[in-house]
Amino acid sequence: MIKTKVKASRNYTVITGRRLIGRTGKLIEEIRPFAKKILIVSESRVAPHYLARVKASCEKSGFEVYDYVFEAGERSKNINTIAGMWGAMAKAGFTRTDLIVALGGGVCGDMAGFAAATFLRGIDFIQIPTSLLAMVDASIGGKTGIDLAEGKNQVGAFWQPSLVIEDISCLDTLPEGVFIEGMAEVIKYAFIMDLPLYNLLCENTLGSLRSDPLLLEKVVGMCVKDKAHVIENDEHDNGIRQTLNYGHTVGHVIEKNNNFRLPHGICVAKGMGIMIDACERNSTLSYEDASNMKDLIKAYGLPVSDEITPEQAVAGAMNDKKKRGSILSVILVNKIGHSQIKNMTHKEYLEFLK
Ligand code: GLY
């Protein structure tokens, strides 16, 4: 088991290990002994596997437990689902010492976190991510929110969880495609800040990661440590945290152009591939690093290209919520394990991608 401390506006621990779900009640009791009621928020694809176990564990610890299960998928990430959570808590008489548990992937954590940030002006929430992507990225760092018709994550709040419980055993049953999608975010950490992780991923394969629980725990733990370091230094996304968006600016446009039918991780991998090519073309990345990086993405079953044109990529990025005024922060990797934030105008970004 690996325990990683995150120091932010609220300090918390990320526990990464196996068979943790059945200990949820005890783990919550340890950090919030005065809580009485818990709302477990989960999604339709995850609840049948884990909701009963988490519920039983919380009840065994003496909590009064309620649940709210929404239809899995990005389409549920809206204000109506949040209103359902607010209503469930208001009806059950939740007070400020009660809390929410998010049991599921990134969409679930983002929404449960937003409901926690806003109900009674803020109550605690615990993340129990069940996908690789949520374990290594979305569940840590307190980005919460919902989508608007105009774009993803347009409304939200920074609201840190009080505890993150990462049960690696949940990944045993994760469909191959969903696991591979999560690998895009793992590879992202390797490229932007973690050469030892890059080397470890090069020495291993998708098969070895999936069949060796200790190796998987180690890899997830390395990503958690990377994310914790980033959050500690820039919780509110004004500096180093933006490097976590490597491949995402193009990736988000690809996602939108495909009406969100392509999974997020696949689009991020494509976005990273496009940025690698652009850096190589602009002579900021060596041919050797560029081909090694693309080989690694492909080795883990992910794509490195897309039909998107530079004009489309730039037009889409101009609606990006990370844009500041007319300037876009573009994340570059010019050497494996190191990233750089480069501010570009619309014209400069287009020239860079062409
Ligand atoms: N997922 C990117 C971030 O947490 O900033």
Side-chain angles (χ1 to χ4, degrees):
M1 189 202 290
I2 303 168
K3 287 190 178 185
T4 311
K5 300 251 182 249
V6 182
K7 293 195 199 89
S9 50
R10 178 184 287 116
N11 293 343
Y12 53 99
T13 304
V14 182
I15 308 175
T16 309
R18 291 185 74 82
R19 285 178 284 282
L20 294 174
I21 271 198
R23 290 171 52 198
T24 302
K26 276 223 154 343
L27 293 170
I28 296 177
E29 231 184 312
E30 278 168 21
I31 60 150
R32 290 294 179 267
F34 301 115
K36 288 201 164 37
K37 297 177 187 179
I38 292 178
L39 177 72
I40 304 174
V41 172
S42 193
E43 50 190 282
S44 55
R45 273 198 296 258
V46 172
H49 299 283
Y50 307 115
L51 179 59
R53 251 190 289 164
V54 173
K55 207 170 176 180
S57 165
C58 294
E59 280 169 351
K60 206 169 156 209
S61 291
F63 294 109
E64 196 178 309
V65 188
Y66 300 82
D67 62 75
Y68 184 90
V69 179
F70 64 88
E71 185 64 35
E74 193 74 31
R75 268 207 296 226
S76 293
K77 202 173 168 185
N78 59 49
I79 195 66
N80 298 329
T81 315
I82 298 293
M85 297 176 201
W86 288 331
M89 290 187 284
K91 206 166 146 207
F94 272 51
T95 72
R96 280 199 171 150
T97 45
D98 297 324
L99 53 90
I100 297 183
V101 167
L103 174 68
V107 170
C108 179
D110 282 12
M111 279 202 293
F114 187 57
T118 45
F119 187 73
L120 300 179
R121 297 204 175 90
I123 63 170
D124 283 330
F125 88 112
I126 316 286
Q127 289 270 24
I128 308 185
T130 54
S131 70
L132 178 60
L133 196 140
M135 284 183 194
V136 298
D137 185 32
S139 65
I140 310 155
K143 276 192 181 171
T144 73
I146 50 169
D147 301 337
L148 295 182
E150 288 75 13
K152 267 183 85 162
N153 300 324
Q154 294 262 318
V155 175
F158 285 103
W159 191 250
Q160 299 296 335
S162 301
L163 176 69
V164 184
I165 304 170
E166 307 201 326
D167 190 336
I168 302 285
S169 341
C170 296
L171 303 180
D172 296 348
T173 51
L174 205 63
E176 183 95 332
V178 186
F179 187 92
I180 288 175
E181 195 203 338
M183 282 309 298
E185 298 286 356
V186 174
I187 292 170
K188 174 194 78 180
Y189 288 110
F191 288 168
I192 64 167
M193 64 189 290
D194 197 336
L195 193 57
L197 176 60
Y198 170 80
N199 290 330
L200 188 65
L201 293 175
C202 288
E203 285 157 17
N204 285 284
T205 61
L206 186 63
S208 60
L209 264 191
R210 291 220 77 177
S211 60
D212 181 345
L214 280 179
L215 175 65
L216 184 57
E217 187 177 310
K218 182 174 173 183
V219 166
V220 173
M222 287 170 92
C223 297
V224 170
K225 202 160 158 247
D226 290 339
K227 179 106 192 217
H229 171 80
V230 169
I231 301 307
E232 277 170 30
N233 286 285
D234 177 27
E235 180 177 349
H236 293 109
D237 213 7
N238 295 312
I240 186 184
R241 187 163 183 172
Q242 292 175 47
T243 61
L244 298 176
N245 286 324
Y246 180 58
H248 284 59
T249 307
V250 178
H252 282 155
V253 183
I254 297 173
E255 231 176 323
K256 200 160 178 223
N257 286 359
N258 285 281
N259 289 322
F260 298 100
R261 278 191 300 266
L262 278 181
H264 175 72
I266 300 296
C267 298
V268 168
K270 286 171 173 253
M272 290 195 291
I274 289 168
M275 291 310 287
I276 293 166
D277 283 342
C279 282
E280 196 202 337
R281 255 193 331 268
N282 285 277
S283 307
T284 63
L285 179 71
S286 69
Y287 169 79
E288 198 190 354
D289 269 3
S291 45
N292 285 341
M293 288 165 82
K294 286 201 286 183
D295 284 350
L296 186 70
I297 299 175
K298 287 189 268 183
Y300 282 88
L302 289 158
V304 289
S305 61
D306 188 79
E307 282 149 16
I308 191 168
T309 63
E311 286 76 11
Q312 286 171 323
V314 173
M318 288 301 123
N319 296 325
D320 197 286
K321 68 181 178 311
K322 286 168 197 87
K323 200 169 68 115
R324 283 150 214 254
S326 58
I327 298 295
L328 196 68
S329 301
V330 181
I331 314 306
L332 309 178
V333 169
N334 295 327
K335 189 168 183 273
I336 296 173
H338 301 271
S339 48
Q340 181 203 348
I341 305 170
K342 196 153 189 232
N343 291 332
M344 293 190 195
T345 59
H346 174 273
K347 198 161 158 265
E348 285 165 343
Y349 187 45
L350 183 62
E351 272 160 20
F352 179 77
L353 288 180
K354 267 189 167 170

